[in-house]
Amino acid sequence: MDRREAILDAAIAIADESGLDAVSMRTVADRVGVTPMALYPHIGSKGALLDAMQGRILGELLAVTTAGQTWQEQLATLAHAGRDLAKRHPWAGTLMFSRPSVAPDAVRVTDAIYQALLSAGVPDDEVPRLERLLSTFILGYGLSETGGRFGPGELNPRGRRGNLPDGTLPGHARLAKWLGGPTDWDEEFEADLADLADLIEEKARRGRRGPD
Amino acid sequence: MDRREAILDAAIAIADESGLDAVSMRTVADRVGVTPMALYPHIGSKGALLDAMQGRILGELLAVTTAGQTWQEQLATLAHAGRDLAKRHPWAGTLMFSRPSVAPDAVRVTDAIYQALLSAGVPDDEVPRLERLLSTFILGYGLSETGGRFGPGELNPRGRRGNLPDGTLPGHARLAKWLGGPTDWDEEFEADLADLADLIEEKARRGRRGPD
DNA sequence: ACCTGAACACCGTTCAAGT
DNA sequence: ACCTGAACACCGTTCAAGT
């Protein structure tokens, strides 16, 4: 097997098992069965290794096919694939946000979203912006879930406002009924996607009437 | 001055100047004029230092006031404050996504968004989800800008599809006209906010008619 | 009460040396 | 052509010692 591929396999396995911080030239080399310095001719540097890991992840995203689907189905397929990926590889979100997507596969994912928006009837000049809005949200959602931003503290104001005087959180007070229990993140993701699909549909409808 | 505050000042100054990676117990201690180990009684650990930095940032966000504004103005004020913060402290986005918001100030920011959504007329049971949708997008946008995900490569397909066969990027081909030039990120952020405000208005309108 | 110095187990990377 | 060993300049953190 190609040494470079073996190195990537090892790095991804370590990241899946113990997080991105556990990926070091030393731990990767150990897993491959070689000295840290032996990695350099094959992958260049730690940064290049992270870029290559990102490329692998995006390759997985491209495995999904959207041929013959409606634009709603296409977007849903891509969004779910993105979120599934974030769950399978919890470190992927951090990586995506922290470095520009240089892999050629990244452009192909972007293109798939462009195509879905175009077939929805979104005016050409609005497509790139809406693609960034969608991908930013999907990435952010995945990262919030896996990174802990949507942690239990977000939902349960009891035990968090201990050091705040009463009456400073009127919003929380009024919404108490909806803030108690656990949240179904799958359900919430579906609802968000439905809302964003509505937004796209509205864009397309206005586009057909011509711009304001 | 309180030693703990001085330590936080130093850490934030270093992060602003040289990035979050440059913040180490050693560099912070150097700036304060003390040995690394002298920090521990005051801040506990590196992780606690990062949490405290996050708290400071959120405190800045609470300085904005939204009293007497329409809900559209309230949301715009908060969104702009969030994005300005991300520009002033480029490391803040990474920090927000990578750890749950434990600071009491975080709940107050959330509450401000709750209040705006409530006064827009969004049904109570949809407010927490829409708050997460909004904050996820705003954070993600700031992080994409400062972290480089919205880098020049995203916009200019020339020079990136060198290793892809022709015809694999139909979306890019059709949108070539809109993908050439530089993007005004301020303008794009405004347009995104306007779209999300439309979405909220639509929610409120449907809520008044009663649920489906 | 607060700080220091030495130490431990880690990093990424360079460079000369081995086969 | 590919890999190793030693070294350099870094990490966060512990622990005994100083004032």
Side-chain angles (χ1 to χ4, degrees), chain B residues 68-195:
Chain B
Q69 294 181 329
T70 65
W71 68 265
Q72 287 95 339
E73 290 166 342
Q74 289 177 34
L75 281 183
T77 302
L78 289 166
H80 287 121
R83 183 155 166 270
D84 287 351
L85 207 80
K87 292 192 140 182
R88 234 180 4 262
H89 307 296
W91 43 272
T94 317
L95 214 51
M96 294 293 180
F97 268 122
S98 63
R99 49 212 314 117
S101 298
V102 292
D105 284 347
V107 209
R108 304 176 75 159
V109 174
T110 304
D111 207 82
I113 304 178
Y114 283 168
Q115 289 175 57
L117 291 172
L118 286 169
S119 62
V122 172
D124 287 20
D125 62 329
E126 303 223 58
V127 167
R129 176 174 70 80
L130 286 175
E131 186 279 326
R132 283 187 287 270
L133 195 158
L134 285 175
S135 59
T136 298
F137 170 73
I138 293 167
L139 266 177
Y141 193 91
L143 187 50
S144 296
E145 258 190 300
T146 61
R149 193 175 78 90
F150 287 168
E154 272 270 284
L155 302 170
N156 189 352
R158 292 185 289 279
R160 293 185 77 217
R161 60 179 175 205
N163 27 11
L164 289 176
D166 259 12
T168 39
L169 298 174
H172 283 78
R174 172 156 163 201
L175 298 171
K177 188 183 166 191
W178 311 102
L179 296 172
T183 303
D184 183 328
W185 300 114
D186 292 315
E187 211 173 86
E188 171 145 337
F189 190 67
E190 297 307 323
D192 286 345
L193 285 183
D195 279 351

Side-chain angles (χ1 to χ4, degrees), chain A residues 9-192:
Chain A
D9 288 342
I12 287 172
I14 292 168
D16 286 347
E17 290 162 17
S18 322
L20 201 55
D21 287 349
V23 176
S24 79
M25 299 305 269
R26 283 165 165 89
T27 55
V28 172
D30 259 21
R31 192 156 190 137
V32 176
V34 94
T35 3
M37 308 76 206
L39 303 179
Y40 283 81
H42 297 106
I43 43 96
S45 71
K46 174 82 182 284
L49 173 62
L50 296 176
D51 285 337
M53 290 170 74
Q54 194 190 42
R56 270 281 191 89
I57 289 298
L58 287 162
E60 281 190 47
L61 243 184
L62 287 173
V64 310
T65 174
T66 56
Q69 295 181 329
T70 65
W71 68 265
Q72 287 95 339
E73 291 166 341
Q74 289 177 34
L75 282 183
T77 301
L78 289 166
H80 287 122
R83 183 155 167 269
D84 288 351
L85 207 80
K87 293 192 139 183
R88 235 182 0 264
H89 306 296
W91 43 272
T94 318
L95 215 51
M96 294 293 179
F97 268 121
S98 64
R99 49 212 315 118
S101 298
V102 292
D105 284 347
V107 209
R108 305 177 74 159
V109 174
T110 305
D111 207 82
I113 304 177
Y114 283 168
Q115 290 174 57
L117 291 172
L118 286 169
S119 61
V122 172
D124 287 19
D125 63 329
E126 303 223 59
V127 167
R129 176 174 69 81
L130 286 175
E131 185 279 327
R132 284 188 286 271
L133 195 158
L134 285 175
S135 58
T136 298
F137 170 73
I138 294 167
L139 266 177
Y141 194 92
L143 187 51
S144 295
E145 258 190 300
T146 62
R149 192 175 80 92
F150 287 168
E154 272 270 282
L155 301 170
N156 190 353
R158 292 184 290 279
R160 294 186 76 215
R161 60 180 176 206
N163 27 10
L164 290 174
D166 259 11
T168 40
L169 298 174
H172 282 77
R174 172 155 162 201
L175 297 171
K177 187 184 166 190
W178 311 103
L179 296 172
T183 303
D184 183 327
W185 300 114
D186 292 315
E187 212 174 84
E188 171 145 339
F189 191 67
E190 297 306 323
D192 286 346

Side-chain angles (χ1 to χ4, degrees), chain B residues 17-55:
Chain B
E17 291 163 16
S18 321
L20 201 55
D21 287 348
V23 176
S24 79
M25 300 305 269
R26 284 165 166 88
T27 56
V28 172
D30 259 21
R31 193 157 191 136
V32 176
V34 94
T35 6
M37 308 76 205
L39 303 178
Y40 283 81
H42 297 105
I43 43 96
S45 71
K46 174 80 181 286
L49 173 62
L50 295 176
D51 284 337
M53 290 170 73
Q54 193 190 43

